[in-house]
Amino acid sequence: MLRNPVFFTLFILALACTGCASATGPWVKLGGQRYSVEVARTEAERDRGLMFRDELPAGHGMLFIHEQEGPLAYWMKNTRIPLDILFFDHDKRLVSQQRDVPPCDLGDACPPYPSDAPAIYVLELNAGEAERLRLENGATIEFAPDIQPAP
């Protein structure tokens, strides 16, 4: 006999969302795939990025939001996991890709990975995601409603 149908309904909803990290918190959608993201808006957050991490869970990434569109270059200083670095313009169109960028433990000697066109958003995903999604320049990214776009 069911004593509390409201509790039961909430319990079933919670079970349905277990393991779907993109159900709550910030997310982006790219190539038909939804990714839970950490958002790096400040200079300090962008500078730290994914440094010193041993893994990036599947279905997760980091979204970097810059103040203005322009030439960007990222590096892998103190980054321990290979990444795809995807650059987007103000219209949220993919303008450049750096795929399968290897980790770097050379400190300031790590090479830069530049965008081929001005960008304002950068999405870092586990290496191989861009290939898996068959991403081509011109693809668009969608942000969760709680992610404020660049000014």
Side-chain angles (χ1 to χ4, degrees), residues 21-73:
S22 60
T24 60
W27 54 264
V28 299
K29 189 173 182 181
L30 178 64
Q33 176 78 40
R34 197 173 194 178
Y35 294 92
S36 292
V37 292
E38 294 176 53
V39 180
R41 281 191 159 277
T42 68
E43 187 173 345
E45 290 169 339
R46 289 190 302 265
D47 286 349
R48 181 148 176 100
L50 292 170
M51 286 183 177
F52 308 109
R53 308 245 185 126
D54 292 322
E55 69 175 343
L56 181 61
H60 287 72
M62 181 169 271
L63 177 67
F64 298 81
I65 301 176
H66 292 266
E67 285 84 22
Q68 58 186 338
E69 189 171 82
L72 295 176

Side-chain angles (χ1 to χ4, degrees), residues 99-119:
R99 294 183 177 191
D100 299 314
V101 178
C104 185
D105 61 2
L106 301 175
D108 291 343
C110 293
Y113 295 91
S115 62
D116 295 330

Side-chain angles (χ1 to χ4, degrees), residues 70-74 86-88 95-98 113-119 122:
L72 295 176
Y74 274 53
L86 308 172
F87 299 88
F88 297 84
V95 295
S96 187
Q97 305 177 53
Q98 295 285 351
Y113 295 91
S115 62
D116 295 330
V122 178

Side-chain angles (χ1 to χ4, degrees), residues 10-33:
L10 291 174
F11 178 75
I12 294 301
L13 287 173
L15 279 179
C17 287
T18 302
C20 50
S22 60
T24 60
W27 54 264
V28 299
K29 189 173 182 181
L30 178 64
Q33 176 78 40

